[in-house]
Amino acid sequence: MWGGRFKDGPDAIMEEINVSIDVDRHLYAQDIAASKAHAAMLAAQGIITASDAKNIAKGLDTILSEIGKGTFTFKRALEDIHMNVESRLSELIGPAAGRLHTARSRNDQVATDFRLFVRDTIDETDAALAAFQHALVERALEHADTVMPGFTHLQTAQPVTFGHHLLAYVEMAARDRGRLADARKRLNESPLGAAALAGTSFPLDRHATATALGFDRPMANSLDAVSDRDFVLETLSAAAIASVHLSRFAEEIVIWTSPLVGLVRLSDKFTSGSSIMPQKRNPDAAELVRAKTGRVIGSLSALLIVMKGLPLAYQKDMQEDKEGAMQAFAALSLAVRAMTGMVRDLVPDAARMKLAAGEGYATATDLADWLVRTLKMPFREAHHVTGRIVGIASKQGVALHELPLKEMQAVEPKITADVMKVLSVEASVQSRTSYGGTAPKNVRAQAKAWLKRLQKEQKLG
């Protein structure tokens, strides 16, 4: 490629550290699409002939087909996807292949390819997250009335519904999709035509190539176009946050499926056994989703470290931008699909959930609220009175709704039998009708609204 300047070939270790084809071969579709757009523009601008452009496009289509069929031979000596494609193109159409690289550099070429790849990845991830939301919403609607314990500090706090709990992850996934959409909007500018770093003296139509590749516009500064990877960083950041959300849910599934807790059960489809303990049913899918998060966060950190000290413009360090990111995106994709499968597969133990929801005096806040609402007691006083009543119930080893009324009246004489109506877990969740609350009617309304929204998105998409 640069034999005019160099007399000797690279040392074997130089070739090994410099080669990137094992990674950037995954950009082949984007590289060929960008090359076709570039060749068409060059012909339209009179920089190359229409005949050459036609032959280039035909040859590139052949290469695309060969790679797709697995018959293309990638050569490590040619370093990267760009030179592998160009070399094969030369074999197919002869000297005209050499005209394809007019007015471009591998610097703007790889920046364009990777933007296209990340854009495609965002679209695929968004679709996967939408499917995840759909699964959650359907199960939330199914379990709008299923009472379960809500936790703070992993201690029983207040009763909620299982449907409400699932809808929390629908909201998180919506924000994840929003972050990815924002990243997509910002990355959707074309570096093609920025050349090595300074632009080119050829009369390019960069708007034409940007339009052909689905970009909103060409990037306005040639130095910026070839030297920044913030579009990868931003997408990895959104991916890392999404992975954390999945990991939190996976952690809950691990806890819930433990026989010590027993709130939900996963089938054989998403669990595995033990090589030595025949009785084991391990939630391996959830555990692996939890672990994949480290790969995504690690890739973000690694690329931030690569980029933090680089002066403008392109540096070879930036060759390290793709492998980690591709692994991270693949890990997230797998994790989302695994979580979607587990959501559809899991079976909650409604009886155990209801029992657990009442443990730990979870309706104590309902008692305090009744004192405020009915007896017009200041909340701090109600909190104190309730605490004393809980102490008595705990000493007697009974639930709040099982404590005799006279025991409550010994603490606060104005308490009436009407208080018993608010102390069950069912009454507790039904009373939480504030916007965003866990009341079954709220859950049903929110789930139906989300189903309508997701179905509308699917039709528009």
Side-chain angles (χ1 to χ4, degrees), residues 29-39 60 100 104 109 112-113 116 192 209 213:
Q30 291 80 13
D31 191 70
I32 289 172
S35 290
K36 289 177 69 175
H38 186 67
L60 290 171
L100 174 59
R104 75 174 185 184
Q109 197 175 353
T112 303
D113 293 355
L116 291 171
L192 193 58
T209 50
L213 294 170

